[in-house]
């Protein structure tokens, strides 16, 4: 389901970067965290739990772990703690991550 | 391994920065670690980028402190997630999937606070965030809600409301849980609080300006409940003055004060106690921030909630003590420098008893009931936790084994206070939950690389 961002369009920035969210290209402002970039783009869930319930960043400061996404194949990355970078391939996490993907 | 510094500071908020500045002024070398890219902590977050005017004067006041982090004696490492603290002290921290090991002669933990999680049915919905999160979005990215409901209690709730009003994105409603009776009880602490009257006067000014802006306001609200509405909006229900209310908005922001971040100090072996007034765990520290673990000091909100102003003074005081212990200050010089700091610190703390009483979290937050999810990671409800206690689980460890509450990636950060509240209410033994490293998740591959002695690329 596509859900509009819950935020007003953020102010213009000097630089922009492009990353992909589940394959879809997204423009973001250079210097923002990945969680900010995702929240500016969509109001939809960024992961689902083991039981399938939708979640999105909650605390924005590294505490809640609701912002976990897969970045360039690495699972369980806290999106609120890393800067968004050009070409990042971000995937929403559905359910739990297996240990197999680790590392 | 980086070479040994005089002091490693974890956390670059007001306490950590003030300590770093004091160390640097006295020629001591500091390694300053923080999870954010830039120093400032949550309170001064984004301040050195392009601060928006609507965030106010208190926020702008952090600029000097941040600028002083440029001193040559201070090495700042951002995006650093500390996951282990060892004797030495040695600190293991991770960035971009790689662990670095840093050694110092002393360690200051200044990890600050986190917001108290506010559980109620529906608080896990994507449209529900903490008010602090919204403030971080404002500070770090100039992001403003399309329309937000603010709910809960506490000074931060008012501050966020006012910042949103000034930014031109006023909240659609302000829903407060505190009652007239709570305010009356808090008034008992007023004489003490008036010793730092500027804070109090500022607080009253906030409320007046929120009222003047015409924001719909409810007090004495309870029975919070959120459901997903149309187009992903949040439908928020509660009762206030005996009447059922319902408001729908894209975003629901809740807040019930802040509590010390104790995972790091607990994993470092520091002893902790339960603070009944603030309903939170806090480390046992003396007036200078010393702990029972040799070489480890704690300052700022991580040692007990007292706010940003007090945190900076406490950080300075701890740094002076650390300099003295290292033989860089004589006892006499220490006393001369510490005394004026003690005076202002005491004044900065005087407003706390009033705030703690006026904005105490309600029972439904401290010990949730029914189908409210308490452990977000493992999706454990209040009812399941209550049942486990009824079936004989005594303390947090047994509840964890029985229900999995606290076993997810956040390692109890979001549920342990509510779990404690339920255990206490149900007659169990609410011990301090155990915390072990890794304090933040690290991959096995990253640990293996460390064990094989691969040199960290610095
Ligand atoms: S949003 Fe809470 S950890 Fe990232």
């Amino acid at each position: 389901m596509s859900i509009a961002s819950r935020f007003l369009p953020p102010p213009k920035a000097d630089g922009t970067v492009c990353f992909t969210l589940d394959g879809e290209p997204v423009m973001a402002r250079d210097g923002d965290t990945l969680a900010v970039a995702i929240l500016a783009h969509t109001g939809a869930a960024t992961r689902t739990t083991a039981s399938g319930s939708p979640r999105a960043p909650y605390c924005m400061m590294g505490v809640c772990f609701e912002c976990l996404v897969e970045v360039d194949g690495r699972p369980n990355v806290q999106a609120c703690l890393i800067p968004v970078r050009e070409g990042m391939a971000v995937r929403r996490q559905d359910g739990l991550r297996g240990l197999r993907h680790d590392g | 391994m980086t070479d040994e510094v005089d002091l490693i500071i974890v956390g670059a908020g007001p306490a950590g920065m003030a300590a770093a500045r004091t160390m640097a002024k006295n020629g001591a070398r500091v390694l300053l670690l923080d999870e954010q890219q830039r120093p400032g902590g949550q309170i001064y977050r984004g301040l050195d980028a392009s601060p928006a005017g609507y965030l106010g004067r208190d926020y702008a006041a952090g600029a000097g402190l941040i600028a002083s982090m440029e001193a040559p004696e201070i090495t700042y490492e951002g995006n650093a997630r500390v996951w282990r603290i060892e004797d030495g002290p040695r600190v293991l921290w991770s960035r971009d999937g790689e662990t670095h090991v840093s050694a110092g002669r002393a360690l200051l933990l200044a990890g600050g606070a986190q917001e108290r999680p506010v559980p109620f049915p529906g608080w896990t919905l994507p449209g529900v965030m903490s008010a602090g999160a919204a403030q971080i979005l404002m500070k770090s990215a100039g992001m403003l809600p399309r329309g937000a409901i603010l709910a809960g209690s506490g000074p931060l709730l008012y501050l966020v409301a006012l910042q949103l009003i000034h930014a031109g994105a006023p909240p659609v409603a302000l829903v407060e849980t505190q009652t007239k009776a709570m305010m009356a009880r808090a008034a008992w602490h007023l004489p003490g609080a008036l010793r730092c009257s500027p804070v109090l006067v500022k607080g009253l000014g906030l409320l007046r300006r929120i009222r003047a802006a015409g924001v719909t306001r409810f007090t004495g609200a309870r029975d919070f409940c959120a459901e997903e509405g149309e187009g992903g909006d949040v439908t928020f229900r509660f009762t206030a003055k005996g009447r059922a209310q319902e408001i729908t908005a894209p975003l629901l922001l809740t807040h019930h004060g802040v509590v010390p971040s104790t995972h790091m100090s607990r994993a470092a072996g520091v002893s902790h106690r339960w603070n009944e007034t603030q309903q939170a765990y806090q480390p046992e520290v003396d007036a200078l921030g010393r702990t029972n673990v040799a070489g480890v000091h704690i300052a700022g909100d991580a040692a007990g909630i007292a706010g940003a102003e007090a945190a900076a003074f406490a950080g300075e005081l701890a740094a002076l003590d650390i300099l003295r212990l290292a033989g860089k200050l004589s006892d006499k010089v220490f006393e001369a420098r510490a005394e004026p700091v003690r005076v202002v610190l005491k004044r900065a703390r005087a407003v706390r008893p009033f705030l703690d009483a006026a904005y105490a979290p309600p029972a439904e937050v401290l010990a949730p009931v029914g189908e409210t999810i308490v452990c977000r990671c493992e999706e454990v409800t209040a009812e399941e936790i209550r049942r486990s206690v009824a079936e004989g689980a005594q303390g947090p460890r047994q509840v964890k084994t029985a229900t999995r509450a606290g076993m997810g990636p956040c390692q109890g950060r979001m549920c342990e206070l509510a779990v404690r509240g339920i255990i206490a209410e149900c007659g169990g033994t609410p011990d301090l939950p155990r915390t072990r490293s890794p304090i933040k998740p690290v991959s096995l591959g990253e640990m293996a690389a460390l064990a094989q002695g691969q040199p960290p690329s610095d």
Side-chain angles (χ1 to χ4, degrees), chain B residues 90-154:
Chain B
R90 291 200 327 158
V91 175
L92 279 67
W93 52 279
S94 165
R95 181 169 57 204
D96 292 334
E98 194 170 4
T99 287
H100 304 252
V101 183
S102 301
R105 300 218 164 93
L107 175 65
L108 174 67
L109 301 179
Q114 69 165 73
E115 283 180 280
R116 176 189 299 281
V118 184
F120 56 88
W123 74 305
T124 57
L125 287 172
V128 183
M129 294 179 98
S130 71
Q135 204 194 30
I136 288 168
L137 284 158
M138 276 191 259
K139 289 177 180 172
S140 64
M143 289 247 286
L144 301 165
R146 274 200 285 126
I149 305 161
L150 283 173
S153 77

Side-chain angles (χ1 to χ4, degrees), chain B residues 67 82 105 143 168 189 196 262 344 408 446:
Chain B
V82 170
R105 300 218 164 93
M143 289 247 286
H189 297 284
C196 58
T262 55
V344 283
E446 188 173 335

Side-chain angles (χ1 to χ4, degrees), chain B residues 128-197:
Chain B
V128 183
M129 294 179 98
S130 71
Q135 204 194 30
I136 288 168
L137 284 158
M138 276 191 259
K139 289 177 180 172
S140 64
M143 289 247 286
L144 301 165
R146 274 200 285 126
I149 305 161
L150 283 173
S153 77
L156 181 75
L157 206 63
Y158 295 146
L159 185 59
V160 172
L162 196 68
Q163 287 170 335
L164 288 173
I165 290 165
H166 285 167
V172 297
L174 180 60
V175 181
E176 297 177 49
T177 52
Q178 86 270 14
T179 58
K180 285 225 175 71
M182 286 166 75
M183 275 299 172
R185 246 175 287 145
W188 197 76
H189 297 284
L190 268 177
L194 285 171
R195 267 193 284 151
C196 58
S197 51

Side-chain angles (χ1 to χ4, degrees), chain A residues 6-26:
Chain A
R6 299 170 197 279
F7 296 85
L8 298 164
K12 288 265 173 296
D14 299 338
T16 51
V17 295
C18 187
F19 70 103
T20 59
L21 181 60
D22 291 329
E24 177 200 357
V26 180

Side-chain angles (χ1 to χ4, degrees), chain A residues 35 57-67 78-81:
Chain A
Y58 178 81
C59 75
M60 294 305 287
M61 56 175 283
V63 174
C64 73
F65 289 74
E66 292 292 9
C67 62
Q78 281 176 285
C80 71
L81 293 184

